[in-house]
Amino acid sequence: MSTKHVKRAFKYRFYPTDAQAAELSRTFGCVRKVYNMALAARTEAWTLRQERVNYNATSAMLTAWKKTGDLAFLCDVSSVPLQQCLRHLQSAFTHFFAKRAQYPRFKSKKKSRKSAEYTTSGFRFRDGALTLAKMAEPLDIVWSRPLPEGAGPSTVTVSQDAAGRWFVSLLCEDPSVGALPATDAAVGVDAGLDHLLTLSTGEKVTNPRHERKDRARLALAQRRLAKKAKGDGANRAKARRKVARIHARIADRRRDALHKITTRLVRENQTIVIEDLTVRNMLKNGRLARAISDAAWSEFRSLLEYKADWYDREVVAVDRWFPSSKLCSTCGTLQHKMPLNIRTWTCGSCGTTHDRDVNAAKNLLAAGRAVTACGAGVRPQRSSPGGQSAMKQETLQREL
């Protein structure tokens, strides 16, 4: 098995002392301040003078800001995270000018992610102990899994989520990542809400509906939060953390389930065929946005694609207008009408009885193999309102 030079992030939870928590909170605030000031300066330079300001210019601005009386507090924290946030801003503008992202936005004190990134000059990692700049003691990290042997972190990112939990992410080169033994196995995957995934093998993965299971607890916590007085009071902050903890529990369970199923699919199959869904358009449906978000189809695809890249597997996305539900996977006859309440149907040409979702997965697999063989995409069909997949409309409307 050949190995790859893959940079992999290993995330752990840690429990800071009061002094470390205060230092990190100051660092988060300074990172947000520098990022917003640099963004404002670059925006003003372009708006007023049609001038592009790069990273080197903002770095020089940071040096000047530290010498002013109002911003002298920037010298109290490590300069490494401040420089890194300027590099992140430069990357954000690069993606914007390449039309891969929207214009960078200012960081909010309450809504933006609290994080700071340290490069090798901003931390010390020795004998399994991680000590950040401006700190005398190492972080109390819960090492839930070992780091790759002989691999030290190249960058360290410290963050705090809305629930108040502290995390540290170490970016290391993982030599264990490499191409898996080649196999002839291929699978088509049909995503839905009734069943999270239906495979061309006939297997159906139950939709765990993590958000629905905690919906009553979440609604109660949100009602209690809504009754708290507006402002920065301690009671409101406590109620907000309660809501955030429930959201974090839901997200953790969802992510864990998706990691398990995507890892299994990648290990067992050489080619995985999915449908190219426009989840963003589907979320415009107010009645189903919660269920669609809970299914996390976009996260499923993202996990599947990067794991397939790690292990030299192939993920093929079939055009979203391919009529996989109406096409007989045995003889290829296209059914002109397929009422939404029909979950099993019999082909009038060959007499084969199909499960609707399994048949769709089989058709996706066949279409994906055709794409791989000849390099041609599946011909788009007539679009339906809202830019949604016809097959997904059937699944979504049945959920109503």
Side-chain angles (χ1 to χ4, degrees), residues 3 14 26 33 37 106 143 227 304 324 359 375 396-397:
T3 59
F14 75 96
R26 284 195 296 269
K33 180 70 173 178
M37 292 178 62
F106 291 95
W143 298 101
K227 293 179 181 179
L304 195 65
S324 55
N359 178 67
L396 298 182
Q397 292 180 33

Side-chain angles (χ1 to χ4, degrees), residues 204-218:
K204 294 187 177 182
V205 179
T206 304
N207 188 354
R209 304 180 190 274
H210 298 295
E211 188 273 338
R212 179 177 291 185
K213 292 179 181 178
D214 284 344
R215 186 172 297 177
R217 295 177 61 234
L218 179 60

Side-chain angles (χ1 to χ4, degrees), residues 2 8 38 54 117 163 174 188 231 238 248 293 362 377 396:
S2 61
R8 187 174 182 180
N54 57 18
E117 184 178 270
D174 189 359
K238 183 178 179 180
S293 298
K362 290 181 179 179
L396 298 182

Side-chain angles (χ1 to χ4, degrees), residues 110-146:
K110 293 183 179 179
K111 297 181 180 180
S112 297
R113 179 171 179 262
K114 300 177 181 179
S115 66
E117 184 178 270
Y118 296 79
T119 56
T120 51
S121 60
F123 66 87
R124 183 174 68 251
F125 185 74
R126 294 178 182 173
D127 301 326
L130 177 66
T131 306
L132 300 178
K134 301 285 186 177
M135 294 186 184
E137 300 178 358
L139 300 180
D140 182 14
I141 302 175
V142 180
W143 298 101
S144 53
R145 58 174 174 168

Side-chain angles (χ1 to χ4, degrees), residues 235-348:
N235 287 338
R236 185 172 180 83
K238 183 178 179 180
R240 186 185 297 113
R241 284 194 299 271
K242 178 66 175 178
V243 174
R245 281 196 294 269
I246 299 175
H247 277 298
R249 168 185 166 87
I250 295 171
D252 290 345
R253 294 165 63 194
R254 180 190 297 123
R255 190 179 304 110
D256 178 68
L258 290 177
H259 270 295
K260 290 177 180 177
I261 185 61
T262 52
T263 298
R264 181 168 72 89
L265 289 173
V266 168
R267 290 188 181 278
E268 295 178 353
N269 300 278
Q270 184 69 36
T271 303
I272 304 165
V273 185
I274 60 176
E275 189 178 12
D276 186 18
L277 300 175
T278 52
V279 179
R280 180 178 299 179
N281 288 340
M282 295 181 181
L283 291 176
K284 296 177 182 179
N285 186 328
R287 299 179 64 186
L288 293 172
R290 173 177 281 187
I292 295 171
S293 298
D294 194 21
W297 293 330
S298 293
E299 186 174 3
F300 165 76
R301 177 172 177 173
S302 176
L303 296 178
L304 195 65
E305 287 180 337
Y306 84 71
K307 290 179 182 180
D309 181 64
W310 279 1
Y311 298 108
D312 281 353
R313 300 307 203 198
E314 184 180 19
V315 175
V316 179
V318 175
D319 190 277
R320 63 181 64 97
W321 304 121
F322 177 62
S324 55
S325 292
K326 298 181 179 181
L327 198 64
C328 176
S329 58
T330 302
C331 66
T333 301
L334 181 65
Q335 308 297 314
H336 298 289
K337 292 184 179 180
M338 186 69 64
L340 301 178
N341 61 337
I342 295 180
R343 306 317 304 166
T344 60
W345 57 278
T346 302
C347 177

